[in-house]
Amino acid sequence: MELKTIFILLSLLSNIFSQTSYYANEYLYRRYDPSYSNNNFRIRQIRTRPDFLNGLDCSMVSIIEENGGRYYDFDGREKDFFQLIKENGINLVRIRLWNDYRSETGVKGGGCLDVNRVLNMAKRAKRAGLKFLLDFHYSDNWADPGKQTCPASWRYLDFNGAKKELEKFTKSTIEKFVSQGVGIDYVQIGNEINNGFMYPFGEIDWKDDNTKRATMDNVATLLNTAINAVKTTSPNTKIIIHVGDYALKTWHDDSTGKDVPLALWFFQQLDYRRVNYEIAAASYYLYYHHKDGDYLDMNKMTDSINQFIDALGKPFMLMEYSTAFTLNYHQYADNQFKEEYANLIGREYPTSFQGQTNMILDIAERVARAKNNKGLGICYWGGDWIPVRGAGWGDQYSTKASWSNQALFTYEGVATPSLAAMRAVTQG
């Protein structure tokens, strides 16, 4: 038998083993999803570009492990988290960073993510062969379209003073990573910054055209300050600008007769002001868009992505997405995805391992097929967040895990069939 033939047979056998390695956990999986069956569970094959980014936000790993949580492969063996996800098709990790979560306005939870903790996780990710995306929130607390509070130590400064602190914090952070041999492949400047960031210094005032333009000038100045601080120290790092979930919603432009994504104006204003970013990104949670008649289905999402690509000419990432595999209770979980959301999207994506898997593959395929080969990648949010005491979203409020039924692990930390499906995104 020729060596080439032997190699092909071994590859096929290896693939068969990897695709069926979760079979031993059928009883466990049925406790979460009574519809689950090894014989019926399917991972369909999809095709993506060779350099497609299949990311996972895993900002909770360190605090979960510190509080006793562990991660296990399909055979029940405890395994390093980053090595485990690498083996299952993830090739990029995203980790958020707060300025000082211990401050008077700090979240004091949600991973307790200071520079040292993030650096240690990044080292582990790099050792596993993963790309690394650093997500600056430029806040002591969660940052999103409705909340962009600047770090507590900056709030009494004037604009120029805040700008200098932004530059100093960004530059010193990047320098620390680089000095310890941790290359940063991607940096996200702010998190879901539809309405600006670092309030009040970078808050967009939507009152009228004049205030919009003036406050956008401030946003652009702050963004370029942070970007230049990154590039000075790590010139090959790619810069991402990320907007929130509703950015992909559309409004009807009577002058053109087209439905236009809400955030397109924001990105066009950044380009007009020569903000030096390389990748546009947005979040997309399907279940949010079925509430109160606010419907943004997969087809509309895809159309919005293509409009971004047409207008901006830049690569695009879907930076956050997820859905649930169970509605099971856990004493250390207060899951955000509840029966209401399950009912809203259940016909398209049932709350099951198969439903979760189908959404992962559908989103990956749609982004990969975006126009002009500009669909760069996707990033699953909260796939690591198993429920353990002490790993809630805000410790000062005695919170619990809010995303555990949308994770890629069971509550015990065992890899799920949906994690195995991630292989199809990057390995075909």
Side-chain angles (χ1 to χ4, degrees), residues 278-327:
E278 285 129 327
I279 299 162
S283 302
Y284 176 66
Y285 295 101
L286 178 68
Y287 51 87
Y288 285 162
H289 293 288
H290 285 56
K291 189 177 180 181
D292 301 327
D294 172 32
Y295 188 69
L296 180 70
D297 64 13
M298 288 281 197
N299 290 329
K300 292 179 180 177
M301 177 269 287
T302 305
D303 182 65
S304 289
I305 290 173
N306 284 330
Q307 287 195 58
F308 276 115
I309 290 170
D310 272 341
L312 306 176
K314 297 179 186 290
F316 180 91
M317 280 191 72
L318 203 63
M319 188 55 72
E320 296 181 17
Y321 74 102
S322 67
T323 195
F325 64 85
T326 190
L327 295 175

Side-chain angles (χ1 to χ4, degrees), residues 135-168:
D135 175 11
F136 281 101
H137 275 227
Y138 294 117
S139 179
D140 299 336
N141 211 312
W142 297 93
D144 56 52
K147 184 182 181 186
Q148 294 281 347
T149 307
C150 79
S153 61
W154 302 359
R155 61 183 174 175
Y156 296 118
L157 301 172
D158 61 12
F159 182 86
N160 286 330
K163 177 184 164 186
K164 288 177 183 176
E165 289 300 314
L166 168 67
E167 180 179 29
K168 184 167 71 174

